[in-house]
Amino acid sequence: MLMRIGANSYGKSECRLVRIDRRARAHRIQDLTVSTSLAGSLDKVHLDGDNTGVLPTDSQKNTVYGFARRGIDSIEAFGLELARHFVDTQHSIHRATVAIEQTMWHPVDDISFRRGGELTRIATVRVDGPQAEVTGGLTGLTLLKSTDSEFQGFARDRFTTLPPAADRVLATSVDARWRFGRIEGVDWDKVFDLAHQALVQAFAGTYSRSLQQTLYAMGEAALDACPELTEIHLSLPNKHHFLVDLTPFGMDNPDVVYYAADRPYGLIEGTVSR
Amino acid sequence: MLMRIGANSYGKSECRLVRIDRRARAHRIQDLTVSTSLAGSLDKVHLDGDNTGVLPTDSQKNTVYGFARRGIDSIEAFGLELARHFVDTQHSIHRATVAIEQTMWHPVDDISFRRGGELTRIATVRVDGPQAEVTGGLTGLTLLKSTDSEFQGFARDRFTTLPPAADRVLATSVDARWRFGRIEGVDWDKVFDLAHQALVQAFAGTYSRSLQQTLYAMGEAALDACPELTEIHLSLPNKHHFLVDLTPFGMDNPDVVYYAADRPYGLIEGTVSR
Amino acid sequence: MLMRIGANSYGKSECRLVRIDRRARAHRIQDLTVSTSLAGSLDKVHLDGDNTGVLPTDSQKNTVYGFARRGIDSIEAFGLELARHFVDTQHSIHRATVAIEQTMWHPVDDISFRRGGELTRIATVRVDGPQAEVTGGLTGLTLLKSTDSEFQGFARDRFTTLPPAADRVLATSVDARWRFGRIEGVDWDKVFDLAHQALVQAFAGTYSRSLQQTLYAMGEAALDACPELTEIHLSLPNKHHFLVDLTPFGMDNPDVVYYAADRPYGLIEGTVSR
Amino acid sequence: MLMRIGANSYGKSECRLVRIDRRARAHRIQDLTVSTSLAGSLDKVHLDGDNTGVLPTDSQKNTVYGFARRGIDSIEAFGLELARHFVDTQHSIHRATVAIEQTMWHPVDDISFRRGGELTRIATVRVDGPQAEVTGGLTGLTLLKSTDSEFQGFARDRFTTLPPAADRVLATSVDARWRFGRIEGVDWDKVFDLAHQALVQAFAGTYSRSLQQTLYAMGEAALDACPELTEIHLSLPNKHHFLVDLTPFGMDNPDVVYYAADRPYGLIEGTVSR
């Protein structure tokens, strides 16, 4: 029986690209992982194996490297250039998505660098015909508060054994994706810095009654700091730190020794909008 | 400035659960990783830190273990039970999503087992008020064809250097998610077995002009085999095998020695529907 | 102050190599990851940056692919060929180590294959001048017994809270490395099959009073099955399965529902010799 | 046939431990992953399943948490305390190895922290009866030089195709383990800081003719900076950055655009001693 081909796309994932700018005495390094994905009038390749409209994923990879030669301003701008190129030049392609991760490097001297592992900057650009949408963000930013966090007054049912906590350790690994309301004239790097800083400060400065409340506070702070943004989505795993019961060994444990669990973990997700 | 809290959810991710049925002489083992996610009227926890409507993620984890005591028929059925429970019993919760991965174990004798690593069975159940939607699937099924695959006649642009391939190695790691048209009276295990078999046979039996064409053939075969399914989404990385150029060493390489690349990789995604 | 350069080596790690033999109607696939490491008279490169005696790691990689063209009998034999080649042809190199992992593929039909994920076959060959030593093995073989395992009568101290277990789940992921007493005239594949089978059967067939006892039984069985082997080293993580306490929910749990922990885990290691 | 049990050990791996010191206004966080391993007179457990001399791995884990209550000066000192405790208090245990990894956290304010991902501090302590040996170190420190690195004048054979490089990108992820000549009166944190700094500065400051030469320079610098150390072992993967050939697209590439490869990778290992 003949079926229909529905939503589909194809592309090249995880092109590892390092660009070095040696023009100034102090070199500059950009370390990106770029994934492209194209969609459009592609029924014939699925139904008949007719590749006429298929620009190879290998060519998409080459395009990433070729465009990098000219220069990379920010990952948001680079993603826009790439996505527009595919939609503008390929007859069969109507939509392009470019997702980029940027690994941070810190200078040791003019020509030496050490990799920072504290977070990864991310951007996703979607171009659909003349429309373009840009999402910036970060992932892997791990934060912890040693106090000023409680979790009490929650719903209870037959399966509830959790005692209320008046003072607990709160830790999470922030995954944030913010959507830009416009794409012309944006200082992408400045927005990244401001949003990043707002997220950290809101996490630190909020007395937390729940991770949900902290999530909202973080989102609100980032939107407050960056008028260019219309909304921000946060995905916050609750990285549980359980106080170890030392009483069997004749010891107390006044919020000193914790077991840091890997899984299961709570996962709090939400979007904050204007 | 006050912002709005938009779409949000919270839950417990990756509860590791092993259930052993010892009633028959030959024991039976079920090895699941269960993630729950709840949504509903939760504005107050985000805006005010009022936890009244929040069933703790710890209780969700306990529910998973408590429900497992009664018995697990299939991961689809178990997910339905759990998701309905949360929506039916929690005033503030209107929607629940339960995602389950099942690791396979093969019997060695009545009480001994070895873990199979060839694929993971997956299911996602979404309950929204009285509505329920079930998706089954598998991930990690890695397939390779040593011939009967070509890639020719594709679009070319300035960045295209790929030569046409009249005979290439085709390899992929199948991620498939199939949607059920109904949820009453379904033999979930039988659908899994038939869909799994159909995917493998279609990959093997299709002379491939592109991975897109193979994707469609695989989806069509699964839908043909399982009338319960309305659509299937396939995500197929093209695991590139590049022929190594041995001519610098005075050797030919008539499709014998390949370099298997990790990344970048092609990624072909599509939905096949009735 | 001038220091000394002590033990050192260099090489190419993780060359991904797939070889396809198409001579018979049913194709045959070998999927290896090969790492080479060379040592010898290399003081000058460390102390003076004099590369005269350094065969590039890139050349080592090329050698792996070039040698694969001729044919691969088994990973042990392939490792021996490669290691001897480096020692025999490079003036400055006196010792070579080649470590190989083999991923298993199972035929679907003559030209189609599915990857098996249940274990990886491994071999390490060390050639030191005229001497050669071969170690075979496997890793990632995960086994579980649902009963016939206890852990009682152990030492207790101030920090001991573990109750004795008269019936527990025993699970491990076997990492085994067996040393060959000779290297001429060995049927490497047969030894692998026999040792693999002996390890599984001994795990299944031993009533276990501790994982240490099971380890010894597994090692003994492998040596019994394979006279070519002089010793076997086993590294067995104790993959803990904890019975979940369901009494707070008014339920019993007669060895039915378990939480499978990731870490910490016990780790039992030992060598069994003739 | 009865075999012999040779070298063996058992312990608990990867105990996740977070300790928070709240005594000062600015809290202090220590995030460790601790693995213990014990050896001694343990033939009976292997041969007869007699657990009399076996302190459970669960008790070892408890000991880690119990000892943490008292305070952790440095991971080297904590490892010494733990290892000595097991050897001193368990009749059957003659040797204990404690391996610790420390994840770094940086303060945001007095009670908030962000995790640093740039390296992990490590220590391994081995106590054998009255003897103790301490190794400190670090892993995951990723460094890159954009110039001042060449690789020329190397050996060539039939399989060599690598062209000499007069100016290349040099990148590595440092794994360093330094051995202390004494264990009394050592300022462990100061040695860590000095060795860490010396490794980074030597990598940056050495004009590199090969990664081996850089390895030696790094080891020499660390020993120079820390008289407490007798030797240092370095394991340095050569994280290849390949210049992309853009000429097919009509572009030059004057050391600007690179492909960062994952594997295979060169691996240079060596010990530098006084």
Side-chain angles (χ1 to χ4, degrees):
Chain A
M1 182 168 50
L2 198 65
M3 309 292 173
R4 287 186 311 103
I5 178 76
N8 63 82
S9 65
Y10 78 106
K12 196 67 131 194
S13 289
E14 299 186 35
C15 299
R16 293 282 299 114
L17 161 65
V18 172
R19 188 181 198 284
I20 301 181
D21 186 336
R22 305 163 191 273
R23 289 172 303 174
R25 182 190 174 87
H27 290 183
R28 184 177 168 226
I29 178 170
Q30 292 168 302
D31 182 339
L32 312 186
T33 303
V34 183
S35 300
T36 61
S37 179
L38 310 183
S41 303
L42 294 165
D43 281 14
K44 277 160 70 175
V45 62
H46 289 92
L47 302 179
D48 308 323
D50 176 345
N51 296 316
T52 314
V54 178
L55 183 73
T57 66
D58 187 74
S59 305
Q60 298 175 38
K61 176 199 71 181
N62 288 345
T63 308
V64 170
Y65 289 115
F67 272 57
R69 171 68 184 90
R70 308 174 190 178
I72 297 172
D73 177 52
S74 68
I75 57 175
E76 291 88 349
F78 190 53
L80 268 169
E81 272 182 74
L82 283 165
R84 280 173 169 155
H85 165 79
F86 292 120
V87 171
D88 291 351
T89 61
Q90 290 298 311
H91 187 68
S92 61
I93 300 306
H94 311 149
R95 292 182 298 283
T97 302
V98 178
I100 308 182
E101 302 180 6
Q102 181 170 21
T103 299
M104 302 305 188
W105 289 83
H106 307 301
V108 174
D109 61 24
D110 284 349
I111 60 163
S112 304
F113 304 84
R114 59 186 297 164
R115 195 167 72 185
E118 66 280 9
L119 64 78
T120 301
R121 178 172 170 179
I122 53 179
T124 303
V125 175
R126 287 187 189 82
V127 166
D128 187 348
Q131 310 289 328
E133 181 186 287
V134 178
T135 305
L138 57 81
T139 192
L141 167 66
T142 304
L143 300 172
L144 182 147
K145 279 182 73 160
S146 53
T147 187
D148 282 4
S149 166
E150 60 176 58
F151 186 56
Q152 305 189 80
F154 43 77
R156 307 193 69 89
D157 70 355
R158 175 187 176 192
F159 294 103
T160 301
T161 56
L162 187 75
D167 189 359
R168 64 170 183 174
V169 168
L170 184 68
T172 190
S173 176
V174 181
D175 182 287
R177 283 139 207 268
W178 45 79
R179 187 185 296 211
F180 288 86
R182 57 186 171 88
I183 60 176
E184 303 304 325
V186 177
D187 184 339
W188 308 102
D189 288 351
K190 189 177 155 207
V191 171
F192 176 81
D193 289 339
L194 289 174
H196 172 198
Q197 198 177 340
L199 291 169
V200 172
Q201 292 305 325
F203 177 87
T206 303
Y207 182 96
S208 178
R209 290 195 169 74
S210 70
L211 188 46
Q212 282 93 330
Q213 187 196 20
T214 295
L215 180 151
Y216 176 78
M218 293 169 74
E220 187 183 45
L223 294 183
D224 266 340
C226 306
E228 297 88 345
L229 305 181
T230 58
E231 67 176 33
I232 178 169
H233 180 266
L234 290 159
S235 178
L236 302 182
N238 193 340
K239 297 175 78 74
H240 304 303
H241 287 66
F242 297 114
L243 207 60
V244 181
D245 179 10
L246 303 178
T247 52
F249 327 137
M251 294 172 165
D252 63 350
N253 187 6
D255 294 348
V256 176
V257 179
Y258 295 86
Y259 162 63
D262 295 308
R263 61 177 182 175
Y265 54 92
L267 182 60
I268 315 298
E269 301 190 278
T271 299
V272 182
S273 315
R274 287 186 200 283
Chain B
M1 184 169 47
L2 198 65
M3 308 293 172
R4 289 186 308 105
I5 178 74
N8 62 83
S9 65
Y10 79 106
K12 198 66 133 195
S13 289
E14 301 187 32
C15 298
R16 292 282 298 115
L17 161 65
V18 171
R19 189 181 198 282
I20 301 181
D21 186 336
R22 305 163 191 273
R23 289 173 303 175
R25 182 190 173 86
H27 291 183
R28 184 178 168 224
I29 179 171
Q30 293 168 301
D31 181 339
L32 312 186
T33 303
V34 183
S35 299
T36 61
S37 180
L38 310 183
S41 302
L42 295 166
D43 281 13
K44 278 160 67 176
V45 62
H46 289 91
L47 301 180
D48 308 323
D50 176 345
N51 296 315
T52 314
V54 178
L55 182 74
T57 65
D58 188 73
S59 305
Q60 298 175 38
K61 176 199 71 181
N62 288 345
T63 309
V64 169
Y65 289 116
F67 271 57
R69 172 68 184 91
R70 308 175 190 178
I72 297 172
D73 177 54
S74 68
I75 57 175
E76 290 88 350
F78 189 54
L80 268 169
E81 273 182 74
L82 283 165
R84 280 173 168 154
H85 165 80
F86 292 121
V87 171
D88 291 351
T89 61
Q90 290 300 309
H91 188 68
S92 62
I93 301 306
H94 311 150
R95 292 182 298 284
T97 302
V98 178
I100 308 181
E101 301 181 6
Q102 180 170 20
T103 299
M104 301 304 188
W105 290 83
H106 307 301
V108 174
D109 60 25
D110 283 350
I111 59 163
S112 303
F113 303 84
R114 60 186 297 164
R115 195 166 71 185
E118 65 280 9
L119 64 80
T120 300
R121 178 172 169 179
I122 53 179
T124 303
V125 175
R126 287 187 189 83
V127 166
D128 187 347
Q131 309 290 330
E133 181 185 288
V134 178
T135 305
L138 57 82
T139 192
L141 167 66
T142 304
L143 301 172
L144 181 148
K145 279 181 73 160
S146 52
T147 187
D148 282 4
S149 166
E150 60 177 57
F151 186 55
Q152 306 189 80
F154 44 76
R156 308 192 70 88
D157 71 356
R158 175 188 175 191
F159 293 103
T160 300
T161 57
L162 187 75
D167 189 0
R168 63 171 183 173
V169 168
L170 183 69
T172 190
S173 176
V174 181
D175 182 286
R177 284 139 206 266
W178 46 78
R179 188 185 296 211
F180 287 87
R182 57 186 171 88
I183 60 175
E184 304 303 327
V186 177
D187 184 340
W188 309 101
D189 288 351
K190 189 178 154 205
V191 170
F192 177 81
D193 288 340
L194 289 175
H196 172 199
Q197 197 177 342
L199 292 169
V200 172
Q201 292 306 324
F203 177 88
T206 303
Y207 182 96
S208 178
R209 289 194 170 74
S210 71
L211 187 46
Q212 282 93 330
Q213 187 196 21
T214 295
L215 180 151
Y216 176 78
M218 293 170 73
E220 186 182 45
L223 294 184
D224 265 340
C226 307
E228 297 87 347
L229 305 181
T230 58
E231 67 176 32
I232 178 170
H233 181 266
L234 291 160
S235 178
L236 302 182
N238 193 341
K239 298 176 78 73
H240 304 304
H241 286 66
F242 298 114
L243 206 60
V244 180
D245 180 10
L246 302 178
T247 51
F249 326 137
M251 292 173 168
D252 64 351
N253 187 6
D255 294 348
V256 175
V257 179
Y258 294 86
Y259 162 63
D262 296 308
R263 61 178 183 174
Y265 54 90
L267 182 59
I268 315 298
E269 301 190 278
T271 300
V272 182
S273 316
R274 286 187 199 282
Chain C
M1 182 169 49
L2 198 66
M3 308 293 173
R4 288 186 309 103
I5 178 75
N8 62 83
S9 65
Y10 79 107
K12 197 66 133 195
S13 289
E14 300 187 32
C15 299
R16 293 282 298 114
L17 161 65
V18 171
R19 189 181 199 282
I20 300 181
D21 186 336
R22 304 164 192 272
R23 288 173 303 175
R25 182 190 174 88
H27 291 184
R28 184 178 168 226
I29 179 171
Q30 292 168 303
D31 181 340
L32 312 186
T33 302
V34 182
S35 299
T36 61
S37 179
L38 311 183
S41 302
L42 294 165
D43 280 14
K44 278 160 68 177
V45 62
H46 289 91
L47 302 179
D48 308 323
D50 176 345
N51 296 315
T52 314
V54 178
L55 183 73
T57 65
D58 187 74
S59 305
Q60 298 175 38
K61 176 199 72 180
N62 288 345
T63 308
V64 170
Y65 289 116
F67 272 57
R69 171 68 185 89
R70 308 175 191 177
I72 297 172
D73 178 52
S74 68
I75 56 175
E76 291 87 349
F78 189 54
L80 267 170
E81 273 182 73
L82 283 165
R84 280 173 169 156
H85 165 79
F86 292 120
V87 172
D88 290 352
T89 60
Q90 290 300 310
H91 187 67
S92 61
I93 300 307
H94 310 149
R95 292 181 297 285
T97 302
V98 178
I100 308 181
E101 301 180 5
Q102 181 170 20
T103 299
M104 301 305 187
W105 291 83
H106 307 301
V108 174
D109 61 24
D110 284 349
I111 60 164
S112 303
F113 303 85
R114 60 186 297 164
R115 195 167 72 185
E118 65 281 8
L119 64 79
T120 300
R121 179 172 169 179
I122 53 179
T124 303
V125 175
R126 287 187 189 82
V127 165
D128 187 347
Q131 309 290 329
E133 181 185 287
V134 178
T135 305
L138 57 82
T139 191
L141 167 66
T142 304
L143 300 173
L144 181 148
K145 279 182 73 160
S146 53
T147 188
D148 282 5
S149 166
E150 60 175 58
F151 186 56
Q152 305 189 80
F154 43 76
R156 308 192 70 89
D157 70 356
R158 174 187 176 192
F159 293 104
T160 301
T161 56
L162 186 75
D167 189 0
R168 64 170 183 174
V169 168
L170 184 68
T172 191
S173 176
V174 181
D175 183 287
R177 283 139 206 266
W178 45 78
R179 187 184 296 210
F180 289 86
R182 58 185 171 89
I183 59 175
E184 303 303 326
V186 177
D187 184 339
W188 308 102
D189 288 350
K190 189 177 154 207
V191 170
F192 177 80
D193 289 339
L194 289 174
H196 172 200
Q197 197 177 341
L199 291 169
V200 173
Q201 292 306 324
F203 177 87
T206 303
Y207 183 96
S208 178
R209 289 195 169 75
S210 70
L211 187 45
Q212 282 91 331
Q213 187 197 20
T214 295
L215 180 151
Y216 176 77
M218 292 170 73
E220 186 183 46
L223 295 183
D224 266 340
C226 307
E228 297 86 346
L229 306 181
T230 57
E231 67 176 32
I232 177 169
H233 180 266
L234 290 159
S235 177
L236 302 182
N238 193 341
K239 296 176 79 74
H240 304 303
H241 287 66
F242 297 115
L243 206 60
V244 180
D245 179 10
L246 303 177
T247 52
F249 326 137
M251 293 173 167
D252 63 350
N253 187 5
D255 294 350
V256 175
V257 178
Y258 295 86
Y259 163 63
D262 295 309
R263 60 179 184 174
Y265 55 90
L267 182 59
I268 315 298
E269 301 190 277
T271 300
V272 181
S273 315
R274 288 186 198 283
Chain D
M1 183 168 49
L2 199 65
M3 308 293 173
R4 287 186 309 104
I5 179 75
N8 62 83
S9 66
Y10 79 107
K12 197 66 131 194
S13 288
E14 300 186 34
C15 298
R16 293 282 298 114
L17 160 65
V18 171
R19 189 181 197 285
I20 301 181
D21 187 336
R22 304 163 191 274
R23 290 172 303 175
R25 183 190 173 86
H27 291 183
R28 184 179 168 224
I29 179 170
Q30 292 168 303
D31 181 340
L32 312 186
T33 302
V34 183
S35 300
T36 61
S37 179
L38 310 183
S41 302
L42 294 166
D43 282 13
K44 277 160 69 176
V45 62
H46 290 92
L47 302 179
D48 307 324
D50 176 345
N51 296 316
T52 314
V54 178
L55 182 73
T57 65
D58 187 73
S59 305
Q60 298 175 38
K61 176 199 71 181
N62 289 345
T63 308
V64 170
Y65 289 115
F67 271 56
R69 172 68 184 90
R70 309 175 190 178
I72 297 172
D73 178 53
S74 69
I75 57 175
E76 290 88 350
F78 189 52
L80 267 169
E81 273 182 72
L82 282 165
R84 279 174 170 155
H85 165 79
F86 292 120
V87 171
D88 290 351
T89 61
Q90 290 299 310
H91 188 67
S92 62
I93 301 306
H94 311 149
R95 291 181 299 284
T97 302
V98 178
I100 307 182
E101 301 181 5
Q102 181 169 20
T103 299
M104 301 305 187
W105 290 84
H106 307 301
V108 174
D109 60 24
D110 283 350
I111 60 163
S112 304
F113 304 84
R114 59 186 298 164
R115 195 167 71 185
E118 65 280 8
L119 64 79
T120 300
R121 179 172 169 179
I122 54 179
T124 302
V125 175
R126 286 186 189 83
V127 166
D128 187 348
Q131 311 289 329
E133 180 185 288
V134 177
T135 306
L138 57 81
T139 191
L141 167 65
T142 304
L143 301 172
L144 181 147
K145 279 181 74 159
S146 53
T147 186
D148 282 4
S149 166
E150 61 176 57
F151 186 55
Q152 306 189 80
F154 43 77
R156 308 191 70 87
D157 70 356
R158 175 187 175 192
F159 293 103
T160 300
T161 56
L162 186 75
D167 189 359
R168 64 170 184 173
V169 168
L170 183 68
T172 190
S173 176
V174 181
D175 183 286
R177 283 138 206 267
W178 45 79
R179 188 185 296 211
F180 288 87
R182 58 187 172 86
I183 60 176
E184 304 303 327
V186 178
D187 185 339
W188 309 103
D189 288 351
K190 189 178 153 206
V191 170
F192 177 81
D193 289 340
L194 290 174
H196 173 198
Q197 198 178 341
L199 291 169
V200 173
Q201 293 306 324
F203 177 87
T206 302
Y207 183 96
S208 178
R209 289 195 168 75
S210 70
L211 188 46
Q212 282 93 330
Q213 187 197 19
T214 295
L215 180 150
Y216 175 78
M218 293 169 73
E220 187 183 45
L223 295 183
D224 265 340
C226 307
E228 297 87 346
L229 306 180
T230 57
E231 67 176 32
I232 178 169
H233 180 266
L234 291 159
S235 178
L236 302 182
N238 192 341
K239 298 175 78 73
H240 305 304
H241 287 66
F242 297 114
L243 206 61
V244 180
D245 180 10
L246 303 177
T247 51
F249 327 137
M251 293 172 166
D252 63 350
N253 188 5
D255 294 348
V256 175
V257 179
Y258 294 85
Y259 162 64
D262 296 307
R263 61 177 182 175
Y265 54 91
L267 182 59
I268 315 298
E269 301 190 278
T271 300
V272 181
S273 316
R274 284 184 201 285

